[in-house]
Structures are given as C-alpha cells and as structure tokens.
C-alpha cells in the first residue's frame, strides 16, 4: 500500500461497512461509505443488519466446534464492551447491550447430552458453561414449558438491539469524520493495472479512491470487478416476529431447536428465525410466521396472551461453507469484508479491526487465512 493512500470507499452501510469505516477513520484515513438504500435516523432501513435479532452468541455459535469461525466469534465478543463504550461515547446513544446470557435448551435427554458434549471444549478452554437440569433451567426461566429437560447456558453471551446499534454506529462514524453517500449504488470497482482506483455508480459517476472495501452483504458478489466468484455470497432470508409481552416473560436469550426468543427492555420479545434460500424474495410469509409462532408457543405457553406487533425478514450473507470472506484478492487496495451469515452483528468489531490492519500495513489480530475470500470460488467441473 503506498504511503500516500488516504481516500477509502466502503461499499455498504450495514454493520460491517460501518465497523470498517469506524476502524479506518481511527487510523486517520479519509472514509466515504456508499450505501444504496436510505440511511434513516433510527437505523430501521431495509438492510440485513437492522433486521437482526442482536444475539451476541459467540459460545452459542461455538457449539459447532473449536474451529476458526468459533475462535473469530469469541475474539469479537471480547472486543464488544470496549467497542460499544466508544460508540456510545461518540454518539450519545444507548444500544441496549445486556449481558443477559444465552441458554440453549433441550427437550429430550439425548439432545441435552449432545449439547453438553458439544460445549465440553469451551469449558476446557476456560469459557463459562453452565449445565442446567430441568429444575435448574426452570429456576432461571420459569416460563419455559415443562417438556424442557435442561440447557447449556452461556452467561457471557450478550444481546444487543440492532436498530439502535445501527443508529449509534452511523452517528459515531459521522462524528468521527466518515462521509455517507446515500442513496448511491455501486455497479463495479474501477481497477487500473493491478490496483483498485475507485468505483463506478449506476448513474455513470466514477468516484476515485486509493482503496475500496466491499461490505455489501448479500449483494457483494453482484458488484463487478471484485474478483469474487458469481454466487460467492448468497442471500439467506430470515424472518422475525416481534411480540409485546408487557412484563418480561424470559430473562435472557433462549434458543431451542426450532426457534429462539430474544427479549427487549421495553417488553418486546423477538421470535426468530427462519433460514431460507429463496433468493432476494422480500418480506415475512404466512408459513414462516405460523411456524415460528407455533414453536414459540410450544417453548413458552404463556405467550398465548402476547400482543403480535409485526413481522419482518432480512437477508443473511451466506457463503458455501458459512464462514465469512475477509481479506485481499490480489488487487492492490481492494479488501473484501462480507459473508458473515448469521453472525455479522457479533463479528463487526473484529472485522473492522482486520480491515483496518489490511489497509494500513498492520498485522491482523487473528489468522485470517481460513477466511480468504477466494476460497469460495465454486468448482467449474
Ligand atoms: C433474521 C436475522 C436475524 C439475525 N440475527 C443475528 C444475530 O442475532 N446476531 C448476529 O450477529 N447476526 C445476526 N444476523 C446476521 C446479520 O444481520 C448479518 O450477518 C449482518 O447484517 C451482515 O452485515 P453486512 O453489513 O455485511 O450486510 P448488510 O447489513 O446487508 O449491509 C449491506 C449493505 O450494502 C448495501 N449495498 C448492497 N449492494 C450495494 C451496492 N451495489 N452499492 C451500494 N450499497 C450496496 C445494502 O443496501 C446494505 O445496506 C441476522 C440476520 C437476519 C436476517
């Protein structure tokens, strides 16, 4: 990277683009975020990030095993308190980050044993894992149905409110000097020789720059000249239902096999979520809402009287192996930061830090080889 590099374009104003912008501006670079959609002041735009449930479930995710993604999630969770403190100080906005814990419940003994087995490596590695039998889990969450036989509980996993986070992170970035250009749609990266030299917008405008970060979520591999294979990132639709329960029904986040519940301080309760490979078809569906409500009622029968507020759907950026694409692609000044699938909110702080390291000649805080963007090129055989 030449020392004269100052102007960076970040494509996408979701949580990953904003996290990258914040980290880059802290290094003294001049950042413009280009966002296709409107950036409304409360962060409730149509983007994936505001649609999320806001579970910072690093240990929940790590039930899939001790692998590079689990370690990335845990490293990002470590960074969250300081990251949020800085964003809150800069923006003056509360993002409702609560260390309420996450309980993964089971409804039969074999499933409970399997969960305990899956979490065993975490306890050995020094992370807090609570094993709860039926009495233990009902003592913490009395509203759970009788057929819940136990849980593994991660007291150090958190929850956050994504729309509030988006509003705060954008305000913090703007106050730190980041420029937002919206609505503006990038068609392709402009590459001169072997360098990224800017982007082309759909109205024909060329915006020159010294570097470009692709953080366009599910739409990332639709942008030209990124070196990503077509289809490297696919949308995975997720539906969420928002209930109003008045007095809190559950204390912390609860995840079961077929739904999760994530409470809010003001008496709302989010019920999520589907994972559907239906392209970019927008909106919640009758069957999605029915399935989630059925699962939620089975899990917490007291929800029968809850008020139904609304339902929505967003797109998770999915890759072929469900791991993010973070790194360089052989074009000088071009960095990819996308494909965070179901953990983009959780992974925002560490992704921002990695992007900043890559564009300032620093050492990324973790080994990013497993997340190499071009590993996802589909076989042409
Ligand atoms: C229902 C649901 C629940 C979820 N729950 C959680 C959770 O509990 N915890 C968690 O960590 N994660 C969760 N996620 C996942 C998380 O929301 C995503 O991983 C994250 O939002 C990805 O962020 P992003 O910034 O990469 O993408 P996005 O938020 O999708 O942002 C990409 C942005 O790029 C813009 N863009 C696209 N193309 C262009 C272009 N050509 N030019 C300009 N701009 C462009 C888009 O308009 C968009 O604003 C959930 C997702 C869903 C859908």
């Amino acid at each position: 990277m030449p020392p004269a590099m100052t102007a960076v374009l970040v494509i996408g104003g979701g949580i990953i683009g904003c996290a990258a912008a914040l980290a880059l501006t802290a290094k003294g670079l001049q950042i413009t975020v280009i966002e296709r959609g409107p950036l409304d002041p409360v962060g409730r735009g149509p983007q994936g990030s505001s649609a999320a449930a806001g579970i910072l479930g690093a240990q929940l995710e790590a039930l899939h095993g001790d692998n590079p993604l689990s370690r990335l999630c845990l490293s990002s969770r470590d960074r969250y308190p300081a990251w949020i403190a800085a964003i809150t100080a800069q923006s003056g906005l509360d993002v409702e980050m609560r260390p309420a814990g996450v309980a993964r419940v089971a409804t039969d003994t074999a499933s409970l044993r399997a969960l305990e087995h899956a979490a065993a490596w975490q306890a050995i590695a020094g992370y807090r894992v609570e094993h709860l039998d039926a009495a233990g889990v009902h003592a913490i969450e009395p509203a759970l149905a009788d057929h819940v036989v136990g849980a593994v509980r991660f007291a150090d996993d958190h929850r956050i409110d994504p729309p509030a986070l988006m509003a705060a992170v954008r305000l913090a970035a703007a106050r730190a000097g980041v420029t937002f250009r919206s609505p503006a749609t990038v068609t392709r990266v402009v590459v001169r020789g072997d360098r990224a030299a800017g982007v082309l917008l759909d109205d024909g405008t060329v915006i020159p720059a010294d570097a470009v970060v692709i953080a366009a979520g599910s739409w990332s591999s639709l942008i030209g000249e990124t070196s990503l294979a077509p289809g490297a990132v696919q949308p995975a639709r997720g539906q969420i239902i928002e209930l109003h329960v008045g007095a809190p029904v559950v204390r912390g986040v609860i995840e079961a096999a077929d739904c999760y519940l994530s409470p809010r301080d003001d008496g709302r309760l989010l019920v999520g979520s589907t994972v559907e490979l239906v392209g970019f078809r927008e909106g919640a569906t009758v069957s999605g809402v029915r399935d989630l409500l059925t699962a939620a009622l089975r899990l917490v029968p007291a929800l029968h009287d809850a008020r139904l507020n609304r339902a929505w759907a967003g797109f998770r950026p999915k890759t072929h192996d469900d791991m993010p694409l973070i790194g360089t692609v052989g074009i000088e000044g071009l960095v990819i930061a996308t494909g965070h699938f179901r953990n983009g909110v959780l992974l925002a702080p560490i992704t921002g830090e990695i992007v900043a390291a890559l564009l300032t000649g620093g050492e990324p805080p973790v080994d990013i080889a497993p997340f190499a963007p071009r590993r996802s090129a589909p076989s042409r055989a």
Side-chain angles (χ1 to χ4, degrees), residues 15-16 35-36 47 49 53-55 186 341-346:
I15 192 62
I16 297 299
E35 168 55 49
R36 189 184 52 184
Q47 301 89 353
S49 299
I55 303 168
V186 171
F341 193 33
R342 50 178 186 257
N343 287 303
V345 180
L346 170 63

Side-chain angles (χ1 to χ4, degrees), residues 124-143:
I124 293 166
Y127 297 101
R128 275 206 289 170
V129 180
E130 296 168 16
H131 290 197
L132 301 174
D133 61 12
V137 72
H138 286 96
I140 293 176
E141 299 288 3

Side-chain angles (χ1 to χ4, degrees), residues 188-198 225 227 330-334:
R188 66 174 173 86
V189 179
V190 175
V191 179
R192 290 221 180 86
D194 60 354
R195 289 197 54 83
E225 303 291 321
S227 280
I331 298 172
E332 191 79 0
L334 182 61

Side-chain angles (χ1 to χ4, degrees), residues 239-243 269-272 288-293 308-312:
Q239 303 187 35
I240 290 194
I241 303 165
E242 183 186 275
L243 308 179
L269 181 71
L270 304 193
V271 180
V289 168
R290 176 202 59 202
D291 291 351
L292 289 172
L293 283 179
L308 184 58
N309 273 0
R310 61 189 181 122
W312 65 82

